Amino acid sequence: MRELLSAVNGVLYYPILIIVLLACGFYFTFRTKFVQFSLFGEAFRVISEKPEGEDDVSSFQALMVSTASRVGTGNIVGVANAICLGGPGAVFWMWIIALIGSASAFIESTLAQIYKKTW
C-alpha cells in the first residue's frame, strides 16, 4: 500500500498539483488585473487604521488573528527547512510564489464572502 500511495503521490504532487496551482494563480492574477499589486497601498492604509472604541479590535489585530489561523506550525517549519536546505534562492522563490498565490487567496476570500450562509 505504501508503494502505491508513493507512486500516486509522485505523479500528482510534483507535476500536476504545482502546475495547476501556478496556472490558477496566473489566471486569477490576470483576471483581477493584478489585484495583489494594485491594492497594495490600500491594504497598508486599512491595517493602519485605529479602532473606533477602546475595546474594539483594530484592523491589524484582526489581520494577525486571520494570519495565525491560516499559517500553521507546519508552514513555519517548512519555511525554515527550505531556507536551511535551499538558501537565499528558496526565499526568492517563496516570495514569487506568494505573490502569484495571493491572487488565489483574494479570490478565495471574495467567494467566501459572496456565498456565505447563516445557519
Side-chain angles (χ1 to χ4, degrees):
M1 187 67 163
R2 177 181 284 178
E3 288 142 9
L4 174 67
L5 291 176
S6 180
V8 170
N9 184 46
V11 171
L12 290 180
Y13 182 73
Y14 174 64
I16 294 176
L17 179 67
I18 293 174
I19 290 169
V20 167
L21 288 175
L22 283 174
C24 288
F26 280 120
Y27 175 75
F28 292 139
T29 295
F30 289 115
R31 286 290 293 176
T32 59
K33 298 179 178 79
F34 298 87
V35 68
Q36 65 267 43
F37 302 110
S38 61
L39 294 179
F40 200 69
E42 176 69 10
F44 277 109
R45 187 192 67 75
V46 167
I47 64 169
S48 63
E49 289 178 348
K50 300 292 181 206
E52 292 179 9
E54 189 175 308
D55 294 335
D56 291 343
V57 175
S58 70
S59 298
F60 182 74
Q61 290 170 328
L63 173 68
M64 290 301 107
V65 169
S66 172
T67 302
S69 68
R70 236 183 133 100
V71 177
T73 309
N75 287 342
I76 296 169
V77 172
V79 168
N81 281 333
I83 292 171
C84 287
L85 296 174
V91 176
F92 171 77
W93 286 111
M94 282 188 282
W95 276 99
I96 297 298
I97 297 301
L99 288 173
I100 295 168
S102 60
S104 299
F106 175 80
I107 294 295
E108 177 186 351
S109 299
T110 302
L111 289 173
Q113 293 303 313
I114 291 172
Y115 293 107
K116 68 180 172 183
K117 295 186 182 207
T118 57
W119 298 97

